[in-house]
Amino acid sequence: QVQLVESGGGLVQAGGSLRLSCAASGRIFSIYDMGWFRQAPGKEREFVAGIRWSGSTTYYVDSVKGRFTISRDKSKKTVYLQMNSLKPEDTAVYYCAPIDFATMTPEVPSLGSWGQGTQVTVSS
């Protein structure tokens, strides 16, 4: 299994930007499709963005298309989420996880476990 540590969250004004990082341990991380998820207070965790193991294909939920960009650096075993034009409704704890790219569902706990997440707060 892969262990994941998210970082890069913070407090930002609406319209601002943040770059989240997800650092992984485990030598087979490079063959996992990976995704970012978020959970707002009182809501269920939802899928945000996914990337194939090769980095060649990405997918986004409609609400973040054109604003968020997912990428990965295999040499650093890290997945990133660049978030631009942030909105108050983007406020949530953000998590990364291995995913089934066909369904965009997390492969937890089969391939990895949830990290502690990183808090993103967007003020209006």
Side-chain angles (χ1 to χ4, degrees), residues 19-51:
R19 188 195 194 201
L20 306 184
S21 298
C22 168
S25 62
R27 58 182 178 174
I28 61 174
F29 164 78
S30 61
I31 66 171
Y32 287 173
D33 299 332
M34 293 293 296
W36 282 96
F37 298 79
R38 65 187 180 187
Q39 187 167 20
K43 295 187 177 180
E44 294 195 355
R45 187 152 27 201
E46 65 171 353
F47 168 82
V48 175
I51 187 167

Side-chain angles (χ1 to χ4, degrees), residues 71-89:
S71 61
R72 69 190 301 165
D73 185 332
K74 289 185 180 181
S75 66
K76 296 182 179 179
K77 294 185 178 180
T78 302
V79 178
Y80 303 98
L81 186 68
Q82 178 66 44
M83 306 187 297
N84 299 328
S85 302
L86 282 162
K87 304 176 180 179
E89 51 263 43

Side-chain angles (χ1 to χ4, degrees), residues 9-120:
L11 173 63
V12 63
Q13 288 188 331
S17 298
L18 285 173
R19 188 195 194 201
L20 306 184
S21 298
C22 168
S25 62
R27 58 182 178 174
I28 61 174
F29 164 78
S30 61
I31 66 171
Y32 287 173
D33 299 332
M34 293 293 296
W36 282 96
F37 298 79
R38 65 187 180 187
Q39 187 167 20
K43 295 187 177 180
E44 294 195 355
R45 187 152 27 201
E46 65 171 353
F47 168 82
V48 175
I51 187 167
R52 292 300 304 265
W53 66 271
S54 63
S56 62
T57 305
T58 57
Y59 184 83
Y60 301 90
V61 68
D62 285 346
S63 60
V64 308
K65 281 182 181 177
R67 300 189 298 122
F68 291 10
T69 303
I70 187 172
S71 61
R72 69 190 301 165
D73 185 332
K74 289 185 180 181
S75 66
K76 296 182 179 179
K77 294 185 178 180
T78 302
V79 178
Y80 303 98
L81 186 68
Q82 178 66 44
M83 306 187 297
N84 299 328
S85 302
L86 282 162
K87 304 176 180 179
E89 51 263 43
D90 294 318
T91 295
V93 179
Y94 284 71
Y95 303 87
C96 62
I99 61 170
D100 177 340
F101 201 80
T103 60
M104 299 301 167
T105 54
E107 296 275 26
V108 175
S110 55
L111 297 182
S113 55
W114 293 111
Q116 83 288 351
T118 186
Q119 176 70 50
V120 172

